Amino acid sequence: MKPFWIRLVASLPLTDTVVLVHNGMVIVKRGKIRTALLSELAELVRCNQIQTACIMARTTASTFRLSFLGVPDEALRQRFRNVWGVNWR
């Protein structure tokens, strides 16, 4: 998906938490996430050389559901889910 469309979708109010990766930098567009999670996401983005992506999270008191744009493969998406699951609360 083109970077313009990823940034556009990240600005829409579709979920309660949105994290945008733009030029390799992790930016929280909507919601609040812990500093530890932000740091781990930034490390994962840097190690995998992701330039533009969007992570959208729907959270409840006990669960979360993640959607991705710009994350290339399922194995990498699972790594993002694992990082999020360990650090989201």
Side-chain angles (χ1 to χ4, degrees):
M1 184 175 268
K2 303 238 183 217
F4 170 77
W5 294 112
I6 293 172
R7 289 192 314 267
L8 179 67
V9 170
S11 67
L12 297 175
L14 300 174
T15 59
D16 55 347
T17 305
V18 177
V19 177
L20 176 67
V21 178
H22 181 63
N23 292 332
M25 295 177 42
V26 180
I27 305 162
V28 179
K29 295 293 281 184
R30 179 172 291 106
K32 293 182 181 179
I33 63 171
R34 295 179 54 204
T35 306
L37 176 57
L38 189 63
S39 173
E40 292 292 326
L41 290 174
E43 181 67 20
L44 192 55
V45 164
R46 186 186 63 76
C47 289
N48 291 286
Q49 301 170 346
I50 298 173
Q51 290 300 308
T52 305
C54 178
I55 304 168
M56 298 172 285
R58 292 181 191 97
T59 59
T60 64
S62 60
T63 63
F64 66 91
R65 183 179 179 129
L66 300 180
S67 301
F68 302 95
L69 293 173
V71 179
D73 64 345
E74 189 58 38
L76 186 53
R77 291 177 184 184
Q78 187 60 50
R79 290 182 66 193
F80 275 104
R81 286 186 194 99
N82 293 344
V83 166
W84 195 284
V86 170
N87 294 299
W88 76 293
R89 286 196 244 158

